[in-house]
Amino acid sequence: MVLAAALAAVLLKPRFERAVRERIESAAARHGMVARIRSVDLGVWPFLRLVGFDLDLGHGAQLHADTIAVTYPGRVRLAVQAANLDGPAGIRVSSPLTSWFVSGSRGGDLELNLIEPRAGLSIREQSDSEGRGWNVDARGLDMGRLFEVRRAGNTLLEGGVANGRVNIRTSADVLRFHVDIGTRGARFGALADDADDEPQLGDPTDVSLRFDGVLRRDEGTMEIPEIHGKLAGADLSGSIRLRDMDTDPSVDLALGVRQVQFGRLLGAAGLALPESLEVAPGGSGDLGSATMEVGVRGRASEPAALAVTQKITFSPPKPMPAAITRLRGDFVFRSDGGPGPQLPVDVSPASPDFIALRDVPPLFVRTLLISEDAGFYGHHGIDLRELPTALLTNLSRGTAARGASTITQQLAKNLFLSRDKEVGRKLQELAITFLLESALGKDRILEIYLNIIEWGPDLRGLRPAARHYFDCEPQALTPAQMAFLVAIIPGPIKYQRSFAHGTPGPGLRVLIDNLLGKLRSVQAIDEEEYQQSLSEPIVVADGRHQG
């Protein structure tokens, strides 16, 4: 009898293994996922082992585990070895080994309780006649021992100790969720780093997030009436409502940030204060604080029509960094960007290349602001009204074709920061932007900008640019020539090939004519000037002298 049972087990083993594989794969498919298993093995200990388990979660997310083993030491125990979750932007969440006690897997509610590397997390599924729910509870969970988060091989997050709950409840076409979770002592890796060594982790900080929401799939709506959070000492609040999510999504978003201290925020993000600010080592690191309120309303299909409101107040530090106050007077600008040596720029009336703002043609200023920062004289250094439009336009094009940096942000980058475009650099840029606005005022910011920005290889400042390209002083520039100089500001090196033969190529000429059209639309030039500018041949002096 025993021999027959053993023989039957051997003969039926492949069938059972195949049934387990099919059940796992079909369960994943029901939830819109794809499961692949290299091998399924039924045995005595463990009585089930999955080797090479892969789960495609969709949207570019992949889950992999080297092995998943099920044993029964009096209770069902699940062990997952070498698990990785790969997500967007090269982010990987890794866990070397976790073990769970599992109960209620047959016909009842399913519950998983973490036992290794340390208890503190439970996941429970409950079903009844009204629907299904999932409860995730964390109590004193040491997330650093549970998993690590890395990007491009560098540590991105040490999660600290977590406490809180996530509840999800689904019935018919309605999904309700509740999140109330926080961590103590979380540390973030530097979001931008120019050094060759591994970025340093930021200062420990407490993080919390609490919100309730409902997703109605049949109506294509999602509502989160209140969001509350805390990060690096700043209080966050807001709400979000989405409509017509399956057709033409519309958004109604409100976000508030109270008392964000920029020195503390940079420290928590793993970013040192920029050395160019010349803040003394061991100093307070005070870069001021801000309170911001932002609202966004409109449809994603019409980014230009989005209604965006912002209210920003900034409290400057005491004292202001010396590198900022020095800009109120004469100074020498030295750029470390670009290949080869960079000539210093003397920003003072004593320099023959300097131009005071009062001597810049008003039409040139108008052209510049229309192209680069239409709200320059009305914002506090950042213009969040442009950000949703830029993000949605870039998303639709699949490129970084449109930016949202103000003139003050561009100046902050030129004066104090590197050329990289990482999120961390943008945080530093934001802090410096508020300092510049507070210390200098709009006219001085614009004057410095016009004297130091790049207009070609080792070519900086409006007066040298006018002489270089058109053999004239800025006051003698025609509207078309002004539009040319403004049009190449976003890519002064890239556009060199567009006029290498002495006149702008078709693509650049379209940009120039579009800019002239904007000037006409705001009555900055009259119809006669507009038509004359459209027909005016733009001959670049530097190009004319090329063989």
Side-chain angles (χ1 to χ4, degrees):
M1 182 67 69
V2 174
L3 181 60
L7 181 60
V10 171
L11 294 175
L12 294 175
K13 183 173 180 288
R15 180 181 297 179
F16 288 145
E17 291 173 344
R18 185 165 55 252
V20 169
R21 180 193 298 271
E22 292 174 351
R23 184 167 183 176
I24 294 173
E25 292 174 349
S26 63
R30 286 196 303 272
H31 291 84
M33 298 177 286
V34 178
R36 300 180 183 87
I37 308 170
R38 189 190 315 157
S39 66
V40 178
D41 182 39
L42 292 174
V44 178
W45 193 274
F47 63 79
L48 173 63
R49 182 194 299 270
L50 309 180
V51 178
F53 177 81
D54 290 282
L55 185 64
D56 186 341
L57 303 172
H59 305 289
Q62 302 276 342
L63 176 65
H64 169 83
D66 282 1
T67 61
I68 300 175
V70 182
T71 56
Y72 189 76
R75 299 175 63 181
V76 176
R77 178 170 175 158
L78 179 72
V80 182
Q81 188 168 13
N84 296 314
L85 174 62
D86 292 309
I91 295 176
R92 167 171 283 194
V93 181
S94 302
S95 180
L97 175 65
T98 59
S99 295
W100 309 75
F101 279 136
V102 183
S103 60
S105 60
R106 292 181 59 86
D109 298 333
L110 177 65
E111 183 172 351
L112 290 85
N113 287 284
L114 182 68
I115 52 177
E116 286 185 315
R118 185 175 178 178
L121 179 65
S122 66
I123 303 173
R124 185 169 68 254
E125 178 189 10
Q126 293 177 311
S127 301
D128 55 34
S129 59
E130 296 182 357
R132 176 178 297 179
W134 291 265
N135 299 321
V136 181
D137 287 284
R139 297 184 180 182
L141 177 65
D142 188 343
M143 294 198 292
R145 297 182 61 181
L146 179 61
F147 60 80
E148 63 178 10
V149 182
R150 301 178 74 86
R151 181 186 178 197
N154 296 324
T155 300
L156 192 63
L157 170 68
E158 283 188 0
V161 178
N163 289 278
R165 169 175 291 190
V166 176
N167 297 330
I168 300 174
R169 182 76 180 178
T170 180
S171 59
D173 288 320
V174 178
L175 185 147
R176 301 180 185 277
F177 45 90
H178 167 78
V179 175
D180 186 358
I181 195 162
T183 66
R184 300 190 313 273
R187 303 181 69 192
F188 297 90
L191 297 174
D193 185 69
D194 294 327
D196 294 330
D197 55 350
E198 182 172 337
Q200 298 296 310
L201 288 170
D203 302 329
T205 186
D206 294 346
V207 181
S208 65
L209 185 63
R210 174 169 53 87
F211 61 88
D212 293 274
V214 57
L215 171 65
R216 293 183 171 87
R217 290 182 285 259
D218 57 337
E219 299 177 4
T221 65
M222 184 179 74
E223 295 187 15
I224 303 178
E226 293 185 18
I227 303 172
H228 299 279
K230 187 177 285 290
L231 173 64
D235 292 320
L236 313 176
S237 63
S239 64
I240 184 169
R241 291 174 174 83
L242 300 177
R243 299 281 189 274
D244 304 322
M245 295 172 59
D246 299 327
T247 54
D248 186 9
S250 67
V251 61
D252 186 352
L253 169 70
L255 177 63
V257 184
R258 295 182 60 251
Q259 294 303 313
V260 55
Q261 300 176 23
F262 290 106
R264 185 172 178 181
L265 179 62
L266 292 179
L271 296 162
L273 298 178
E275 293 183 4
S276 50
L277 282 180
E278 302 176 17
V279 177
S284 66
D286 182 13
L287 296 180
S289 62
T291 295
M292 295 178 277
E293 297 178 8
V294 184
V296 181
R297 179 178 295 178
R299 293 195 176 275
S301 61
E302 303 175 27
L306 286 170
V308 182
T309 59
Q310 67 176 38
K311 181 179 179 181
I312 300 173
T313 58
F314 177 70
S315 300
K318 296 179 180 181
M320 184 73 69
I324 298 291
T325 57
R326 188 180 304 126
L327 301 175
R328 294 168 177 163
D330 301 344
F331 69 97
V332 176
F333 168 71
R334 291 179 173 83
S335 171
D336 58 359
Q342 303 290 308
L343 295 177
V345 178
D346 185 5
V347 185
S348 74
S351 169
D353 291 335
F354 177 81
I355 185 168
L357 183 60
R358 63 179 177 272
D359 296 326
V360 178
L363 182 60
F364 187 91
V365 173
R366 192 75 181 275
T367 308
L368 173 68
L369 297 185
I370 284 177
S371 175
E372 292 297 301
D373 190 354
F376 175 70
Y377 279 100
H379 59 61
H380 293 277
I382 64 172
D383 194 352
L384 299 176
R385 293 169 295 186
E386 290 292 320
L387 186 59
T389 302
L391 292 175
L392 290 172
T393 301
N394 291 343
L395 182 63
S396 65
R397 296 179 181 178
T399 65
R402 179 186 171 95
S405 292
T406 66
I407 281 176
T408 316
Q409 287 176 278
Q410 294 178 46
L411 184 63
K413 177 185 65 176
N414 274 278
L415 289 173
F416 296 105
L417 298 171
S418 66
R419 291 172 175 260
D420 71 79
K421 297 182 179 181
E422 295 296 324
V423 174
R425 206 290 308 277
K426 297 299 288 188
L427 288 177
Q428 294 172 322
E429 179 185 292
L430 182 64
I432 296 170
T433 293
F434 283 123
L435 294 174
L436 292 174
E437 287 275 336
S438 177
L440 303 182
K442 294 291 186 180
D443 287 350
R444 180 56 175 168
I445 288 171
L446 192 55
E447 185 174 74
I448 296 174
Y449 178 88
L450 288 170
N451 279 279
I452 73 164
I453 64 165
E454 190 174 37
W455 256 297
D458 209 7
L459 178 64
R460 290 182 177 272
L462 174 59
R463 177 161 274 154
R467 293 168 177 167
H468 179 79
Y469 291 120
F470 300 113
D471 285 334
C472 71
E473 290 296 311
Q475 294 85 349
L477 291 168
T478 68
Q481 291 170 340
M482 294 180 186
F484 168 87
L485 290 177
V486 171
I488 67 173
I489 286 176
I493 304 301
K494 176 184 69 175
Y495 283 126
Q496 294 295 310
R497 288 178 293 179
S498 299
F499 50 85
H501 298 292
T503 58
L508 180 56
R509 184 71 212 210
V510 168
L511 296 178
I512 295 169
D513 291 348
N514 287 342
L515 192 47
L516 291 168
K518 292 180 180 180
L519 290 173
R520 178 69 187 104
S521 69
V522 297
Q523 309 298 318
I525 56 177
D526 60 30
E527 184 63 24
E528 182 180 351
E529 290 174 307
Y530 174 57
Q531 295 299 332
Q532 181 179 344
S533 299
L534 290 178
S535 60
E536 176 186 333
I538 301 176
V539 180
V540 180
D542 186 54
R544 188 174 58 228
H545 298 312
Q546 295 181 5

